[in-house]
Amino acid sequence: MKKKGLFISFEGIDGSGKTTQVKRLGQSLRDKGYELVTVREPGGTPVAEKIRELLLDARNDGICPRTEAFLYAAARAQLVTEVINPALTEGRVVIADRYLDSTLAYQGYGRGLDTRFLEQLNRLAVAGTVPDLTIILDISPVEGMVRRSDSCPDRLEREGLQFQEAVRAGYLSLSRQYPERIKVVDAMQPPEQVYAEIVALVTPFLAQLAEAGV
Ligand code: TYD
């Protein structure tokens, strides 16, 4: 695939405020005239949405960690092929609410599956499509729980604080392993401040895109 666009992913534990920040950034970029595609994982294509239903249904409590990893990877492969790669080829900006690091953080650090194996699974699923920039919104699991206390928890959200703590530690470890790509923003700050830091991280990439004449 010949990639011309810009690919940004957002990561964080449940309740980190990712979705709100993604929406805000997306709106602002659209207002500035960028050709934008926003995606949310798992999902984003008819097949991937069906896999999402399987994964998040709280009644499916028998799904084992390996099945979980394969299902997330399968949904991702479909999304990359149908939506992300075509958009990047056309020079668009793609913003993903979760992507391959979620599998490493949740199924690897959270569930305890071998992260080297998951890296290989991810490689197979994304076939080279890795974000230019990944922003982790870092928040304590307790604060995350407070923030999503009014919604009905899905299967993963029922896992409890210890699980969320392991996932958070996983994200922070990933940011140390891939410091060029993955940046951490303290999401315990007021939303305005969080947004300002996101804009500061994204701006140089938009400038590069402009220089490339896209
Ligand atoms: P979602 O309702 O989209 O949550 P959020 O708003 O927090 O993104 O549910 C996605 C859930 O799936 C979330 O708990 C994280 C989990 N997940 C994984 O465990 N592995 C993955 O690879 C992905 C993409 C998500």
Side-chain angles (χ1 to χ4, degrees), residues 12-15 18-19 40-42 52 56 68 72-73 76 97-104 106-107 154 156-157 163-164:
I13 63 168
D14 301 294
K18 233 170 358 73
T19 306
R40 166 202 66 167
E41 271 215 35
R52 178 186 177 86
L56 300 187
E68 197 176 88
Y72 279 114
R76 181 164 307 132
D97 184 343
R98 297 195 180 283
Y99 193 56
L100 80 183
D101 299 296
S102 280
T103 294
L104 296 168
Y106 280 80
Q107 281 65 55
D154 64 38
L156 275 289
E157 287 169 352
F163 179 76
Q164 299 290 336

Side-chain angles (χ1 to χ4, degrees), residues 37-185:
V37 173
T38 50
V39 294
R40 166 202 66 167
E41 271 215 35
T45 78
V47 166
E49 285 295 329
K50 285 190 181 157
I51 298 174
R52 178 186 177 86
E53 281 171 31
L54 273 175
L55 279 164
L56 300 187
D57 189 339
R59 290 168 302 180
N60 289 339
D61 54 2
I63 294 183
C64 79
R66 279 173 297 144
T67 305
E68 197 176 88
F70 286 127
L71 287 174
Y72 279 114
R76 181 164 307 132
Q78 201 60 35
L79 182 67
V80 167
T81 306
E82 274 190 53
V83 181
I84 297 179
N85 283 351
L88 292 175
T89 307
E90 286 168 15
R92 293 174 192 256
V93 177
V94 176
I95 301 183
D97 184 343
R98 297 195 180 283
Y99 193 56
L100 80 183
D101 299 296
S102 280
T103 294
L104 296 168
Y106 280 80
Q107 281 65 55
Y109 293 87
R111 300 284 195 215
L113 292 183
D114 184 343
T115 50
R116 280 165 309 176
F117 165 74
L118 292 173
E119 296 252 15
Q120 281 180 333
L121 184 64
N122 268 338
R123 261 203 291 279
L124 186 68
V126 308
T129 303
V130 175
D132 299 290
L133 169 68
T134 295
I135 299 176
I136 292 176
L137 299 186
D138 181 54
I139 191 176
S140 81
V142 172
E143 179 64 20
M145 200 175 65
V146 170
R147 289 192 190 176
R148 63 191 159 81
S149 58
D150 52 343
S151 63
C152 181
D154 64 38
R155 199 176 55 83
L156 275 289
E157 287 169 352
R158 285 169 186 252
E159 285 297 331
L161 284 180
Q162 222 182 335
F163 179 76
Q164 299 290 336
E165 197 60 76
V167 173
R168 180 194 196 188
Y171 274 131
L172 296 178
S173 166
L174 287 168
S175 74
R176 290 188 293 272
Q177 287 169 54
Y178 302 100
E180 290 296 314
R181 171 173 68 87
I182 306 183
K183 308 293 177 194
V184 179
V185 170

Side-chain angles (χ1 to χ4, degrees), residues 185-206:
V185 170
D186 177 3
M188 303 284 275
Q189 305 177 92
E192 280 304 316
Q193 182 61 26
V194 173
Y195 184 66
E197 291 193 17
I198 290 171
V199 170
L201 287 169
V202 169
T203 302
F205 286 89
L206 294 173

